[in-house]
Amino acid sequence: MSLPKGLAEDVSKNLVMVARLIDEDPEGAYAYSKIALRLASRVAAVREAAGFAAYANQKYSEALAEFRAARRMTGSVDLWPVMADCERGLGRPEKALEMAGAPEVHKLDKAGQVEMRLVAAGARRDMDQLDAAIVTLQSPELASNTVQPWTARLRYAYADALLAAGREDEAREWFAKAVESDKDGSTDASDRLAEMDGVEFVDAFVEDEADEDEDDTDVDTEIDDEVAPQAEASVADEVDVDDEDDDIDDEEDDEDAPVAEPTVAVEAKDDIKADDKD
C-alpha cells in the first residue's frame, strides 16, 4: 500500500524509533508503534512492528493479533515461530506445539526452523516435559561446528534444559560451547558457566566506594584524636573563667540581670517548582 510522501515519512520515522528503542526501552518503542498504527494501520510493516513492540512488553494477545494481521497482508510464514511463542506467553503451550508440527514450518528458512525448534522446546518445558525438550533441541544445527547467528542461543537453550534435568556435567559442556559461539553477547552463557564453577564477580566500582568511605572514616578519627585534647583544655579554661564570673555576680544585685531572648526558629521554604512541561 502506497502512502502520500509526507505521511510515509512520518510513518518511517516512527518505525525507525521502534527499531531503535525496542531492546533498551520497550515501553518507548510501544508508544511509537501506536503512533505508526494510527497513521497507517493497513501497512504490513507497521502491523509487524507493532506486534514486536507489544511482544517486547509481554502483551502477547495484542502481539498475536498484530502478527496475524501482518501475515494476512503479506501471506508470509516468517512470523510463524513468534506467533507460536505468543501462544506460550498466553499459557497455551499445547497450541504452540501444534503450530510446531504444522505445514507452515516446512516453508520457513533455516533460521526460522531453528527458532521454531526453540519455541517447541520451550513449550515442552512449560508442560514439565524436560526430557522431551532436550530431545527437541537435539538436531544437526546443534551438532554442527559451523557458527551461525542462531548457534549460541540453540546451545544455550540445550545447556539450560540439561541443567534443569540435573545433568550438570553435560550442561557445563554446552554452556562452554555457547560461550565460544556467542560473539555478540546475546546470551548470559559466560555468567551461567562462571556460576556453575563457583566464581563470584565483585563490582569494582562499589568496592572502590567502600574503600573511600573507610579512608574518610580513618581521617575523621585521626582529626578527632588531635582536636579532642585541645577542646578539653579550652573547655577547662572556660570553666575557670565562669567560676570567677560567678563569684563577681554573687556580689551584684540580681535585679540587674538581663532577660534571655528567645531563640528565633527559621523555616526553610521549598523552592522546587513543578515542571509543567511533562
Side-chain angles (χ1 to χ4, degrees):
M1 178 182 179
S2 60
L3 298 173
K5 183 178 180 180
L7 180 58
E9 290 177 352
D10 289 342
V11 172
S12 178
K13 288 178 182 178
N14 283 281
L15 293 182
V16 167
M17 292 304 297
V18 171
R20 182 180 300 174
L21 296 175
I22 196 163
D23 291 328
E24 302 297 330
D25 182 13
E27 291 184 359
Y30 181 73
Y32 278 105
S33 73
K34 285 298 188 181
I35 296 174
L37 274 175
R38 287 198 297 268
L39 294 173
S41 62
R42 296 184 181 181
V43 175
V46 171
R47 303 303 290 268
E48 182 175 333
F52 278 109
Y55 179 82
N57 284 275
Q58 300 182 355
K59 299 178 183 293
Y60 298 116
S61 180
E62 184 176 339
L64 184 58
E66 297 298 342
F67 290 143
R68 284 172 174 168
R71 183 169 179 266
R72 284 196 300 269
M73 294 176 181
T74 63
S76 172
V77 297
D78 291 346
L79 296 173
W80 196 254
V82 72
M83 289 169 63
D85 207 37
C86 286
E87 295 288 0
R88 284 188 59 214
L90 292 169
R92 301 193 291 253
E94 297 87 352
K95 179 63 177 178
L97 286 175
E98 181 182 331
M99 293 179 68
E104 284 82 354
V105 175
H106 300 292
K107 300 177 183 178
L108 295 169
D109 59 13
K110 181 61 67 176
Q113 290 179 1
V114 171
E115 195 66 36
M116 192 71 248
R117 189 178 294 275
L118 287 168
V119 173
R124 290 293 186 187
R125 293 191 62 173
D126 293 342
M127 301 167 66
D128 295 327
Q129 299 175 2
L130 279 175
D131 291 339
I134 291 171
V135 172
T136 299
L137 292 169
Q138 292 171 345
S139 61
E141 294 81 15
L142 178 68
S144 175
N145 292 324
T146 303
V147 175
Q148 300 290 346
W150 61 78
T151 302
R153 293 180 58 238
L154 185 59
R155 291 177 176 178
Y156 181 92
Y158 188 58
D160 192 48
L162 288 169
L163 185 60
R167 297 160 62 175
E168 295 187 4
D169 291 341
E170 294 174 83
R172 192 194 179 286
E173 176 187 352
W174 282 98
F175 274 129
K177 290 182 178 181
V179 171
E180 292 175 1
S181 58
D182 193 2
K183 305 302 182 183
D184 57 356
S186 60
T187 72
D188 64 345
S190 59
D191 293 340
R192 297 291 299 277
L193 186 60
E195 182 181 350
M196 292 189 71
D197 289 341
V199 177
E200 295 184 4
F201 295 98
V202 177
D203 193 331
F205 180 75
V206 173
E207 190 175 51
D208 290 342
E209 282 188 341
D211 291 341
E212 290 177 2
D213 292 341
E214 185 175 347
D215 291 341
D216 291 342
T217 302
D218 293 340
V219 171
D220 292 341
T221 303
E222 292 175 1
I223 293 175
D224 290 342
D225 291 341
E226 293 177 0
V227 173
Q230 300 176 9
E232 290 176 359
S234 177
V235 170
D237 293 341
E238 291 181 2
V239 170
D240 291 340
V241 172
D242 289 342
D243 289 342
E244 293 178 1
D245 292 341
D246 289 343
D247 294 340
I248 295 172
D249 291 341
D250 288 342
E251 298 175 358
E252 294 180 355
D253 190 352
D254 292 340
E255 294 181 358
D256 295 332
V259 178
E261 296 181 0
T263 301
V264 178
V266 180
E267 182 178 352
K269 295 183 180 179
D270 187 359
D271 295 326
I272 301 176
K273 298 181 179 178
D275 188 353
D276 296 332
K277 295 181 180 180
D278 292 339

